[in-house]
Amino acid sequence: MEDKIDILLATYNGEKYVGEQIESILSQTYKNINLIISDDKSQDNTREILEEYAKKDERITVYFQEKNLGYIKNFEFLINQVKSEYFMLADQDDVWLPEKVEKSIKKLKEENADLVFADLEVVDKDLNTMYPSFNDFMKLTRKINKCQKSYKMNYLYNCVTGCTLLARSKTIEEFMPIPNKSKYLVHDHWIALMISLNGKLTYIPEKLIKYRQHGDNQIGTNKISHKFKKLSQVRNLFIDVKVGVFGTYVANNDKFPKILQDLNRKALKYYEMLPEKRYFNFKGWKIFHELYKNETFLYYIENFMILNLPAIANIAFKIRYTILKIMKKR
């Protein structure tokens, strides 16, 4: 008999696409599921759509929040409703391929893992392919292949897209509650990192979701730094992101092993110091190396120059920006 799996769908003003997503979940080849939905006080017709689906299929349970929680705390609410041995996360605007659940649970059991995640096909609002592989487009594939058995895969930045994951419910106590003080560290990043510190992650390179980008996504493929005209803007963003991430780590240091607790504090101190160094920085290079040593050589050098030698990096940035502008790519 198939094990029961709880699928957790967070919704907010999702009237355009949520019906199509629900249909794709209910049509999975793996049938023994509970679809648990939490609507975060939508202002459109999402509530009416959810109520109609709940009447049609007894596998659906819907909660309507009385006040807006934000997507992280909405997912946290859903996770607290889990009663089955396994759970999955779902976004309201994607489309799941028919064998997503079946292939995910099979891989998890074959590898005796605690969490499995997969690749995605990036599509536009009409489901036309934009990028065949999300992980290739975001340049995550190499890091995933190299570090998927280690916490290092998700330590410096997130490599696990939440809507692709399936995890054992016994892991919930390892990552709850989910921090939400920084917009730069979201629920899937935290969940995958915490599970990797205590258990095993595995990966399916196959695309199991049509990951819809329609302009209103809370999280997606948009690379903010590509819009900047000045290196200082890029640098400030890089620093803000890492201060947010490592600030969250330090605030929850009891969740980390002792060796990482020390690295968390040193990394936060390093990034907090960088804004004072507008042209050159010669402090904390060992910390930088420890954090970036698993990255590609090009990524390592680019980040090293931007963070530690911005006066020199600025020259290269201006030349590159001018070339891209001439090519009409900026």
Side-chain angles (χ1 to χ4, degrees), residues 206-224:
E206 187 177 348
K207 294 81 180 172
L208 299 181
I209 287 181
K210 289 186 178 294
Y211 188 49
R212 195 189 318 248
Q213 301 296 294
H214 48 78
D216 296 320
N217 305 73
Q218 297 215 8
I219 300 173
T221 59
N222 186 28
K223 296 183 178 181
I224 300 172

PDB file of all heavy atoms in Angstrom, residues 206-224:
ATOM      1  N   GLU A 206      16.038  15.351 -13.021  1.00  0.00           N
ATOM      2  CA  GLU A 206      14.911  15.477 -13.939  1.00  0.00           C
ATOM      3  C   GLU A 206      14.032  16.680 -13.561  1.00  0.00           C
ATOM      4  O   GLU A 206      13.903  17.029 -12.387  1.00  0.00           O
ATOM      5  CB  GLU A 206      14.083  14.191 -13.868  1.00  0.00           C
ATOM      6  CG  GLU A 206      12.972  14.100 -14.873  1.00  0.00           C
ATOM      7  CD  GLU A 206      12.252  12.762 -14.793  1.00  0.00           C
ATOM      8  OE1 GLU A 206      12.774  11.845 -14.118  1.00  0.00           O
ATOM      9  OE2 GLU A 206      11.176  12.635 -15.396  1.00  0.00           O
ATOM     10  N   LYS A 207      13.408  17.305 -14.569  1.00  0.00           N
ATOM     11  CA  LYS A 207      12.493  18.421 -14.329  1.00  0.00           C
ATOM     12  C   LYS A 207      11.103  17.856 -14.028  1.00  0.00           C
ATOM     13  O   LYS A 207      10.494  17.215 -14.891  1.00  0.00           O
ATOM     14  CB  LYS A 207      12.402  19.355 -15.537  1.00  0.00           C
ATOM     15  CG  LYS A 207      13.702  20.103 -15.842  1.00  0.00           C
ATOM     16  CD  LYS A 207      14.649  19.230 -16.617  1.00  0.00           C
ATOM     17  CE  LYS A 207      15.948  19.973 -16.926  1.00  0.00           C
ATOM     18  NZ  LYS A 207      16.970  19.076 -17.508  1.00  0.00           N
ATOM     19  N   LEU A 208      10.605  18.116 -12.818  1.00  0.00           N
ATOM     20  CA  LEU A 208       9.328  17.552 -12.390  1.00  0.00           C
ATOM     21  C   LEU A 208       8.238  18.603 -12.234  1.00  0.00           C
ATOM     22  O   LEU A 208       7.098  18.273 -11.891  1.00  0.00           O
ATOM     23  CB  LEU A 208       9.506  16.788 -11.068  1.00  0.00           C
ATOM     24  CG  LEU A 208      10.469  15.596 -11.109  1.00  0.00           C
ATOM     25  CD1 LEU A 208      10.531  14.913  -9.748  1.00  0.00           C
ATOM     26  CD2 LEU A 208      10.058  14.601 -12.190  1.00  0.00           C
ATOM     27  N   ILE A 209       8.589  19.854 -12.492  1.00  0.00           N
ATOM     28  CA  ILE A 209       7.630  20.951 -12.349  1.00  0.00           C
ATOM     29  C   ILE A 209       7.782  21.926 -13.512  1.00  0.00           C
ATOM     30  O   ILE A 209       8.905  22.193 -13.960  1.00  0.00           O
ATOM     31  CB  ILE A 209       7.870  21.731 -11.030  1.00  0.00           C
ATOM     32  CG1 ILE A 209       7.419  20.911  -9.826  1.00  0.00           C
ATOM     33  CG2 ILE A 209       7.142  23.064 -11.018  1.00  0.00           C
ATOM     34  CD1 ILE A 209       7.607  21.629  -8.510  1.00  0.00           C
ATOM     35  N   LYS A 210       6.671  22.462 -13.965  1.00  0.00           N
ATOM     36  CA  LYS A 210       6.696  23.631 -14.832  1.00  0.00           C
ATOM     37  C   LYS A 210       6.615  24.841 -13.901  1.00  0.00           C
ATOM     38  O   LYS A 210       5.572  25.103 -13.299  1.00  0.00           O
ATOM     39  CB  LYS A 210       5.532  23.593 -15.823  1.00  0.00           C
ATOM     40  CG  LYS A 210       5.698  22.513 -16.891  1.00  0.00           C
ATOM     41  CD  LYS A 210       4.612  22.600 -17.939  1.00  0.00           C
ATOM     42  CE  LYS A 210       4.801  21.547 -19.021  1.00  0.00           C
ATOM     43  NZ  LYS A 210       6.017  21.750 -19.835  1.00  0.00           N
ATOM     44  N   TYR A 211       7.745  25.535 -13.766  1.00  0.00           N
ATOM     45  CA  TYR A 211       7.935  26.612 -12.790  1.00  0.00           C
ATOM     46  C   TYR A 211       7.557  27.927 -13.453  1.00  0.00           C
ATOM     47  O   TYR A 211       8.331  28.508 -14.194  1.00  0.00           O
ATOM     48  CB  TYR A 211       9.397  26.591 -12.352  1.00  0.00           C
ATOM     49  CG  TYR A 211       9.774  27.486 -11.212  1.00  0.00           C
ATOM     50  CD1 TYR A 211       9.045  27.516 -10.034  1.00  0.00           C
ATOM     51  CD2 TYR A 211      10.915  28.276 -11.298  1.00  0.00           C
ATOM     52  CE1 TYR A 211       9.421  28.319  -8.978  1.00  0.00           C
ATOM     53  CE2 TYR A 211      11.314  29.084 -10.252  1.00  0.00           C
ATOM     54  CZ  TYR A 211      10.563  29.094  -9.094  1.00  0.00           C
ATOM     55  OH  TYR A 211      10.950  29.898  -8.042  1.00  0.00           O
ATOM     56  N   ARG A 212       6.341  28.388 -13.183  1.00  0.00           N
ATOM     57  CA  ARG A 212       5.778  29.503 -13.926  1.00  0.00           C
ATOM     58  C   ARG A 212       6.298  30.851 -13.434  1.00  0.00           C
ATOM     59  O   ARG A 212       6.241  31.156 -12.247  1.00  0.00           O
ATOM     60  CB  ARG A 212       4.248  29.482 -13.831  1.00  0.00           C
ATOM     61  CG  ARG A 212       3.591  30.389 -14.863  1.00  0.00           C
ATOM     62  CD  ARG A 212       2.096  30.555 -14.662  1.00  0.00           C
ATOM     63  NE  ARG A 212       1.346  29.404 -14.316  1.00  0.00           N
ATOM     64  CZ  ARG A 212       0.442  28.798 -15.099  1.00  0.00           C
ATOM     65  NH1 ARG A 212       0.227  29.241 -16.320  1.00  0.00           N
ATOM     66  NH2 ARG A 212      -0.248  27.770 -14.672  1.00  0.00           N
ATOM     67  N   GLN A 213       6.782  31.670 -14.389  1.00  0.00           N
ATOM     68  CA  GLN A 213       7.209  33.041 -14.114  1.00  0.00           C
ATOM     69  C   GLN A 213       6.255  33.989 -14.825  1.00  0.00           C
ATOM     70  O   GLN A 213       6.149  33.969 -16.052  1.00  0.00           O
ATOM     71  CB  GLN A 213       8.644  33.262 -14.598  1.00  0.00           C
ATOM     72  CG  GLN A 213       9.662  32.331 -13.961  1.00  0.00           C
ATOM     73  CD  GLN A 213       9.793  32.540 -12.465  1.00  0.00           C
ATOM     74  OE1 GLN A 213      10.247  33.587 -11.998  1.00  0.00           O
ATOM     75  NE2 GLN A 213       9.379  31.541 -11.695  1.00  0.00           N
ATOM     76  N   HIS A 214       5.555  34.806 -14.033  1.00  0.00           N
ATOM     77  CA  HIS A 214       4.500  35.634 -14.625  1.00  0.00           C
ATOM     78  C   HIS A 214       4.568  37.090 -14.207  1.00  0.00           C
ATOM     79  O   HIS A 214       3.674  37.873 -14.491  1.00  0.00           O
ATOM     80  CB  HIS A 214       3.126  35.071 -14.249  1.00  0.00           C
ATOM     81  CG  HIS A 214       2.970  34.763 -12.793  1.00  0.00           C
ATOM     82  ND1 HIS A 214       2.742  35.726 -11.846  1.00  0.00           N
ATOM     83  CD2 HIS A 214       3.037  33.578 -12.133  1.00  0.00           C
ATOM     84  CE1 HIS A 214       2.654  35.142 -10.660  1.00  0.00           C
ATOM     85  NE2 HIS A 214       2.836  33.849 -10.799  1.00  0.00           N
ATOM     86  N   GLY A 215       5.637  37.464 -13.492  1.00  0.00           N
ATOM     87  CA  GLY A 215       5.800  38.870 -13.120  1.00  0.00           C
ATOM     88  C   GLY A 215       5.388  39.194 -11.713  1.00  0.00           C
ATOM     89  O   GLY A 215       5.808  40.202 -11.149  1.00  0.00           O
ATOM     90  N   ASP A 216       4.565  38.321 -11.094  1.00  0.00           N
ATOM     91  CA  ASP A 216       4.116  38.579  -9.727  1.00  0.00           C
ATOM     92  C   ASP A 216       4.661  37.559  -8.739  1.00  0.00           C
ATOM     93  O   ASP A 216       4.206  37.485  -7.601  1.00  0.00           O
ATOM     94  CB  ASP A 216       2.578  38.552  -9.669  1.00  0.00           C
ATOM     95  CG  ASP A 216       1.968  39.666 -10.514  1.00  0.00           C
ATOM     96  OD1 ASP A 216       2.515  40.781 -10.500  1.00  0.00           O
ATOM     97  OD2 ASP A 216       0.953  39.411 -11.185  1.00  0.00           O
ATOM     98  N   ASN A 217       5.631  36.746  -9.176  1.00  0.00           N
ATOM     99  CA  ASN A 217       6.186  35.729  -8.287  1.00  0.00           C
ATOM    100  C   ASN A 217       6.861  36.363  -7.084  1.00  0.00           C
ATOM    101  O   ASN A 217       7.571  37.361  -7.198  1.00  0.00           O
ATOM    102  CB  ASN A 217       7.229  34.880  -9.030  1.00  0.00           C
ATOM    103  CG  ASN A 217       6.674  34.255 -10.289  1.00  0.00           C
ATOM    104  OD1 ASN A 217       6.470  34.943 -11.267  1.00  0.00           O
ATOM    105  ND2 ASN A 217       6.434  32.965 -10.257  1.00  0.00           N
ATOM    106  N   GLN A 218       6.665  35.739  -5.903  1.00  0.00           N
ATOM    107  CA  GLN A 218       7.380  36.208  -4.714  1.00  0.00           C
ATOM    108  C   GLN A 218       8.841  35.786  -4.777  1.00  0.00           C
ATOM    109  O   GLN A 218       9.723  36.478  -4.294  1.00  0.00           O
ATOM    110  CB  GLN A 218       6.716  35.644  -3.447  1.00  0.00           C
ATOM    111  CG  GLN A 218       5.288  36.121  -3.283  1.00  0.00           C
ATOM    112  CD  GLN A 218       4.892  36.338  -1.841  1.00  0.00           C
ATOM    113  OE1 GLN A 218       5.696  36.288  -0.927  1.00  0.00           O
ATOM    114  NE2 GLN A 218       3.624  36.606  -1.641  1.00  0.00           N
ATOM    115  N   ILE A 219       9.097  34.631  -5.391  1.00  0.00           N
ATOM    116  CA  ILE A 219      10.460  34.145  -5.582  1.00  0.00           C
ATOM    117  C   ILE A 219      10.526  33.572  -6.984  1.00  0.00           C
ATOM    118  O   ILE A 219       9.592  32.927  -7.440  1.00  0.00           O
ATOM    119  CB  ILE A 219      10.823  33.051  -4.556  1.00  0.00           C
ATOM    120  CG1 ILE A 219      10.704  33.590  -3.134  1.00  0.00           C
ATOM    121  CG2 ILE A 219      12.232  32.526  -4.788  1.00  0.00           C
ATOM    122  CD1 ILE A 219      10.883  32.536  -2.079  1.00  0.00           C
ATOM    123  N   GLY A 220      11.643  33.793  -7.696  1.00  0.00           N
ATOM    124  CA  GLY A 220      11.710  33.267  -9.056  1.00  0.00           C
ATOM    125  C   GLY A 220      13.089  33.362  -9.645  1.00  0.00           C
ATOM    126  O   GLY A 220      14.089  33.227  -8.942  1.00  0.00           O
ATOM    127  N   THR A 221      13.125  33.635 -10.956  1.00  0.00           N
ATOM    128  CA  THR A 221      14.397  33.622 -11.680  1.00  0.00           C
ATOM    129  C   THR A 221      15.002  35.009 -11.845  1.00  0.00           C
ATOM    130  O   THR A 221      16.074  35.141 -12.430  1.00  0.00           O
ATOM    131  CB  THR A 221      14.187  33.021 -13.083  1.00  0.00           C
ATOM    132  OG1 THR A 221      13.222  33.818 -13.789  1.00  0.00           O
ATOM    133  CG2 THR A 221      13.691  31.589 -12.995  1.00  0.00           C
ATOM    134  N   ASN A 222      14.341  36.030 -11.348  1.00  0.00           N
ATOM    135  CA  ASN A 222      14.832  37.388 -11.543  1.00  0.00           C
ATOM    136  C   ASN A 222      16.166  37.611 -10.837  1.00  0.00           C
ATOM    137  O   ASN A 222      16.284  37.405  -9.623  1.00  0.00           O
ATOM    138  CB  ASN A 222      13.801  38.395 -11.016  1.00  0.00           C
ATOM    139  CG  ASN A 222      14.198  39.822 -11.329  1.00  0.00           C
ATOM    140  OD1 ASN A 222      14.883  40.078 -12.312  1.00  0.00           O
ATOM    141  ND2 ASN A 222      13.773  40.742 -10.497  1.00  0.00           N
ATOM    142  N   LYS A 223      17.191  38.025 -11.582  1.00  0.00           N
ATOM    143  CA  LYS A 223      18.504  38.298 -11.008  1.00  0.00           C
ATOM    144  C   LYS A 223      18.629  39.805 -10.807  1.00  0.00           C
ATOM    145  O   LYS A 223      18.936  40.549 -11.735  1.00  0.00           O
ATOM    146  CB  LYS A 223      19.606  37.758 -11.918  1.00  0.00           C
ATOM    147  CG  LYS A 223      19.564  36.239 -12.062  1.00  0.00           C
ATOM    148  CD  LYS A 223      20.714  35.716 -12.906  1.00  0.00           C
ATOM    149  CE  LYS A 223      20.685  34.200 -13.004  1.00  0.00           C
ATOM    150  NZ  LYS A 223      21.808  33.660 -13.791  1.00  0.00           N
ATOM    151  N   ILE A 224      18.371  40.244  -9.585  1.00  0.00           N
ATOM    152  CA  ILE A 224      18.278  41.665  -9.273  1.00  0.00           C
ATOM    153  C   ILE A 224      19.547  42.421  -9.650  1.00  0.00           C
ATOM    154  O   ILE A 224      19.496  43.522 -10.198  1.00  0.00           O
ATOM    155  CB  ILE A 224      17.970  41.858  -7.773  1.00  0.00           C
ATOM    156  CG1 ILE A 224      16.634  41.190  -7.430  1.00  0.00           C
ATOM    157  CG2 ILE A 224      17.921  43.337  -7.418  1.00  0.00           C
ATOM    158  CD1 ILE A 224      16.337  41.164  -5.943  1.00  0.00           C
TER     159      ILE A 224
END
